[in-house]
Amino acid sequence: MTKEELLQTTDLFLLDLDGTVYLDETPIGEMRETLARLRACGKKLVYLTNNSSKTPDEYEKKLGRIGLWGEGDAVYTSAMAAIEYLSEHHAGARVHVLATDAVRAQFARAGIALDDETPEVCVLAYDVTLDFAKMKRFNEFLAGGAVYIATHPDDVCPTAGVPMPDVGSFLALFERSSGRTPSVICGKPYTVMGACVARAFGVPSDRTCMVGDRMHTDIRFGNANGMKSLLVLSGETTRENMKNFPDQPDLVLESLNEIFK
């Protein structure tokens, strides 16, 4: 697929964050101008992230601070997909959410009945305030048979220097301690988030493009959900190591900025 064909057949661009539109606090190249041109072409931009340690408002503030937020943009996180999944499949259930205080409050505002004593469902999000007491309690709930849901499967979170352990690492820990694995993982590359995005923004999958720097989450997500996929080489993946994955993107660019060059 050419750049021109991708632009002509896409109404909604789902944009991964770190490695795709910015690196830490720095926009990648002329990203501000690129995003402005996409908006001027009538494209809807949604920042789609697996990172469930922050709320959409926190992401919006960061994107605004570094000049990447524009009118009509939206943020969608794996925590939002988990909330929608709970509302659809476990309405009224007592839910324990292992997450930051801000994200737990996000679940509560959405009508999820939080219960830290006798939950029927446990949700594992990316809690960067995790301590042993929280791990022990979550493990006890899993051992007691609570339904087990995770927001996303990423092993590490990209950071300057050494990457931090992410939910995928916590999944391995709890599998060893409780013998349990989640019945559902909501974020990329799975289809729960794909269905949520389609409902939230009303754009058919064949008019949607997933843009990201990770083959095993971003490109797999696009392919699994019948979307177009654009791999950018501004983050984790290189032309050499992309050959190690079964999925193939529709288009590969050095960065999203190349789409207009």
Side-chain angles (χ1 to χ4, degrees):
M1 178 176 288
T2 66
K3 295 183 287 186
E4 293 75 19
E5 289 171 335
L6 183 69
L7 283 168
Q8 290 169 2
T9 59
T10 300
D11 299 319
L12 171 62
F13 281 88
L14 304 176
L15 305 174
D16 179 54
L17 292 173
D18 214 326
T20 299
V21 297
Y22 59 62
L23 292 170
D24 195 14
E25 292 282 328
T26 305
I28 294 171
E30 310 84 25
M31 191 59 62
R32 298 183 183 96
E33 293 78 9
T34 298
L35 299 180
R37 290 187 67 179
L38 285 171
R39 296 183 195 102
C41 291
K43 310 304 182 184
K44 174 71 174 179
L45 305 184
V46 174
Y47 297 98
L48 190 78
T49 179
N50 266 356
N51 192 326
S52 55
S53 69
K54 296 181 178 67
T55 66
D57 285 345
E58 289 174 299
Y59 280 114
E60 182 178 339
K61 287 177 182 175
K62 175 177 180 176
L63 290 161
R65 185 174 68 250
I66 62 177
L68 297 182
W69 187 259
E71 184 176 355
D73 292 357
V75 173
Y76 200 94
T77 73
S78 62
M80 296 170 70
I83 288 169
E84 189 166 336
Y85 183 85
L86 288 169
S87 299
E88 182 178 359
H89 297 280
H90 298 281
R94 303 186 306 276
V95 181
H96 173 69
V97 182
L98 184 58
T100 62
D101 289 343
V103 171
R104 281 172 55 85
Q106 178 187 353
F107 275 74
R109 287 194 301 272
I112 304 302
L114 300 187
D115 187 326
D116 299 332
E117 301 298 331
T118 58
E120 301 165 283
V121 181
C122 284
V123 177
L124 178 60
Y126 189 20
D127 186 359
V128 294
T129 64
L130 187 63
D131 59 24
F132 187 80
K134 288 183 177 182
M135 289 191 292
K136 180 176 181 292
R137 180 172 61 180
F138 195 83
N139 188 70
E140 289 169 349
F141 292 151
L142 294 185
V147 175
Y148 183 14
I149 295 169
T151 56
H152 64 287
D154 299 33
D155 289 336
V156 296
C157 181
T159 51
V162 179
M164 297 188 298
D166 203 331
V167 168
S169 298
F170 303 162
L171 291 175
L173 183 155
F174 287 118
E175 182 176 3
R176 292 295 295 270
S177 61
S178 71
R180 299 282 305 279
T181 57
S183 57
V184 173
I185 301 177
C186 297
K188 297 177 290 184
Y190 299 103
T191 56
V192 170
M193 186 184 266
C196 290
V197 166
R199 285 193 295 269
F201 301 103
V203 178
S205 58
D206 63 355
R207 301 288 301 182
T208 300
C209 179
M210 180 67 223
V211 184
D213 68 306
R214 282 181 163 182
M215 290 291 295
H216 59 291
T217 53
D218 301 317
I219 304 309
R220 172 89 284 268
F221 175 79
N223 292 350
N225 287 282
M227 303 168 181
K228 291 180 279 293
S229 59
L230 168 55
L231 176 69
V232 291
L233 303 178
S234 48
E236 178 177 302
T237 304
T238 65
R239 289 190 185 275
E240 185 60 32
N241 65 25
M242 67 177 284
K243 300 173 185 176
N244 299 327
F245 298 91
D247 287 276
Q248 291 300 310
D250 292 296
L251 183 64
V252 181
L253 298 175
E254 292 301 315
S255 77
L256 181 57
N257 299 313
E258 300 297 316
I259 199 165
F260 289 114
K261 295 181 180 178

